[in-house]
Every structure is written in C-alpha cells, then in structure tokens.
C-alpha cells in the first residue's frame, strides 16, 4: 500500500531542516514543509518529488505568527502525520544580555519557544493517531551557557527540558520523543546570528571541521529508523574538534 504518512519539518528552507527533508525523502518519507521562504520550498519540492518519488506539500508560514501556525494546521488537518521534526530556531546577536536588542530577544523567544511549543501541541493529536515520533532540535547550548548566549541558551534549555516532559506525558501512547542536541554545524545559523556579517559568520567555522547539516539529518534518519520499541531520547552530537560549547581545537 502506498505510504500515506507525512513527516512535518519546520525550518526546511535551509540548514538542518533542509538536510532532513533530503535525507528523509531519500528514505521514502512524504513531507509537509512550512516556512516563510516558500520559493525555496518549491525548489526543494520539485527536486525531491522527482528524485525520490515522494509527495511534498509546501506552505508559506511565518512561525513568528501564532495565527499563521493555527491556520496552517487547519489546512493540513486531513493529513496523517507520523513524524514531527521541530527544528526551526535561530540566534540573533551575541551581545551581553543587558545590551541585547529587545526585538532580537523577542524574535528568538517567538520562534525557539512559542512557535516550537505551538507546533508541538498542534501536532501531537496527529502523532497519537499514528504512533508517531517527535524529534526536537536543541543544542549544546541547552546544557552549557556561554557569553552572549543568554536568551538563545535559555531557549535551548527549554527545548531540552520540555522534550523530557513530553516523553513523560506521552508515555503509554506509543509516541516517541527524541532531543537532538548539536554542537557547531556549518549552516546559515552564524550568518543569521551576525545579521549578514560574513566575516564574523565565517570565523565561527574556521580553523576546524565543524558538523554539516547532513550529519545531523543522517543521525535523525537513523533515530527514526529504529524499531518502535526503541526511543533514542537524547543525542548530543559534536564536531570531533569541539569538546564543549566554547572549547574548540582550532588550527
Ligand atoms: C548552535 C551552536 O554555538 O550556539 O546551537 O551552541 S552554539
């Protein structure tokens, strides 16, 4: 029988989300992709549908707007969702807490905490029907704070803790919950954090080999492919050259 289930990935227009879309389409997952940059999603849809013969549904959604998230879930309410990759997130700036712009802190809270929470809450009824799997993308910064990390680190600690709480709340439903916590991954993350300052962004990943988005996506694909009785609950995945949030062996 044709696979009727869909994997919902947030933040699939770039980075880890996009790499997950590719890796999971390769493994035969149909995809539902909501993001602000719909043109990027359209390109991905064309490529993945052709290459892997899966169905890819794309939606223009600003996750910073809770009403847009609600309308999006109304639109997809007839679909069977068996995987949620709750990945969308960002950091903005690296100033000290008191010197940070409120707009930056607020946007990080809107996406990393509020949108993350709303998406999880609206996806869970679908996942309970399909004995599905939630993969939350947190970070090394969810267990280690660093200078200039304040709200970003706090938001990732939130993802870590709510992942555990959801594991407990969902125990007995058959729904699995995984928290994937990456160290430094070479993506748009640093360019977004430093607001397009290429020199600052490039310096984050210089002098060592960081992780690549594909490394995280392959780990997520492996996690999803485990038998139903196996819940990989927390995976900290670091570049070999990075031993803590701030300790990196750079040449
Ligand atoms: C992304 C990497 O350096 O902010 O979470 O922990 S870092």
């Amino acid at each position: 029988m044709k696979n009727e289930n869909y994997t919902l990935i947030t933040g699939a227009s770039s980075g880890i989300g996009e790499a997950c879309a590719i890796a999971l389409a390769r493994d035969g997952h149909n995809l539902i992709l909501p993001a602000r940059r719909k043109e990027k999603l359209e390109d991905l849809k064309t490529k993945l549908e052709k290459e892997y013969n899966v169905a890819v549904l794309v939606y223009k959604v600003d996750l910073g707007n809770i009403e847009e998230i609600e309308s999006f879930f109304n639109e997809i309410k007839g679909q069977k969702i068996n995987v949620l990759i709750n990945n969308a997130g960002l950091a903005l700036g690296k100033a000290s807490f008191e010197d940070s712009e409120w707009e930056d802190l607020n946007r990080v809270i809107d996406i990393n905490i509020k949108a993350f929470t709303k998406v999880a809450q609206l996806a869970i009824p679908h996942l309970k029907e399909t004995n599905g799997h939630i993969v939350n993308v947190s970070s090394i910064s969810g267990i280690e704070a660093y200078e200039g990390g304040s709200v970003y680190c706090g938001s990732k600690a939130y993802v870590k803790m709510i992942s555990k709480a959801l594991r407990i709340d969902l125990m007995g439903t058959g729904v699995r919950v995984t928290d994937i916590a990456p160290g430094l991954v070479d993506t748009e993350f640093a360019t977004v954090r430093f607001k397009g300052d290429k020199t600052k962004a490039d310096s984050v990943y210089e002098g060592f080999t960081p992780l690549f988005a594909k490394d995280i996506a392959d780990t997520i694909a492996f996690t999803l492919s485990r038998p139903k009785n196996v819940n990989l609950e927390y995976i900290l995945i670091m570049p070999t050259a990075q031993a803590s949030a701030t300790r990196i062996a750079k040449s």
Side-chain angles (χ1 to χ4, degrees):
M1 196 181 90
K2 192 165 164 31
N3 176 18
E4 290 182 341
N5 286 324
Y6 281 84
T7 289
L8 167 54
I9 306 174
T10 63
S13 53
S14 68
I16 294 172
E18 182 183 13
C20 284
I22 296 166
L24 299 182
R26 178 198 65 202
D27 289 353
H29 293 235
N30 298 313
L31 304 174
I32 294 180
L33 310 176
R36 250 194 327 189
R37 292 178 288 182
K38 195 172 173 216
E39 356 40 88
K40 290 217 162 200
L41 296 179
E42 295 283 7
D43 292 346
L44 198 55
K45 172 185 167 73
T46 308
K47 182 176 136 180
L48 297 180
E49 287 188 336
K50 188 163 161 233
E51 206 156 322
Y52 300 113
N53 194 27
V54 293
V56 181
L57 308 179
V58 301
Y59 298 85
K60 183 172 169 55
V61 183
D62 178 0
L63 294 172
N65 182 328
I66 294 294
E67 285 80 40
E68 284 195 30
I69 297 176
E70 286 169 345
S71 315
F72 159 65
F73 271 92
N74 273 334
E75 274 189 69
I76 60 166
K77 70 169 177 280
Q79 304 295 355
K80 283 192 160 84
I81 299 167
N82 68 334
V83 178
L84 165 65
I85 314 287
N86 212 348
N87 158 73
L90 79 169
L92 286 170
K94 218 177 171 195
S96 71
F97 177 59
E98 65 173 317
D99 290 337
S100 294
E101 301 288 340
W102 170 249
E103 289 68 29
D104 288 350
L105 302 182
N106 198 35
R107 178 82 185 160
V108 171
I109 291 168
D110 275 348
I111 304 298
N112 297 17
I113 297 184
K114 287 199 206 165
F116 171 91
T117 305
K118 193 70 185 172
V119 167
Q121 199 181 31
L122 293 175
I124 282 173
H126 292 267
L127 296 163
K128 277 171 126 172
E129 268 183 28
T130 54
N131 289 328
H133 197 148
I134 304 174
V135 178
N136 293 328
V137 179
S138 68
S139 164
I140 177 68
S141 63
I143 54 169
E144 280 184 58
Y146 55 80
E147 194 177 353
S150 63
V151 166
Y152 177 72
C153 295
S155 74
K156 291 300 181 176
Y158 174 86
V159 172
K160 177 171 170 48
M161 194 52 87
I162 198 172
S163 297
K164 184 68 198 183
L166 291 183
R167 259 295 280 150
I168 296 165
D169 271 14
L170 291 167
M171 193 177 63
T173 65
V175 177
R176 295 184 281 176
V177 182
T178 299
D179 173 10
I180 299 268
L184 285 167
V185 189
D186 188 356
T187 61
E188 277 183 357
F189 176 84
T191 306
V192 171
R193 166 171 256 173
F194 296 114
K195 301 175 182 175
D197 185 330
K198 235 4 224 122
T199 315
K200 272 193 188 168
D202 287 348
S203 73
V204 173
Y205 308 114
E206 260 165 24
F208 75 112
T209 308
L211 295 169
F212 300 102
K214 184 178 181 301
D215 299 320
I216 309 303
D218 287 344
T219 305
I220 290 175
F222 173 78
T223 302
L224 296 174
S225 71
R226 295 308 81 209
K228 286 278 185 200
N229 64 317
V230 178
N231 191 134
L232 294 179
E233 194 164 303
Y234 179 68
I235 303 173
L236 177 65
I237 170 167
M238 302 287 280
T240 304
Q242 183 184 10
S244 76
T246 53
R247 286 193 194 88
I248 303 154
K250 290 206 177 196
S251 57

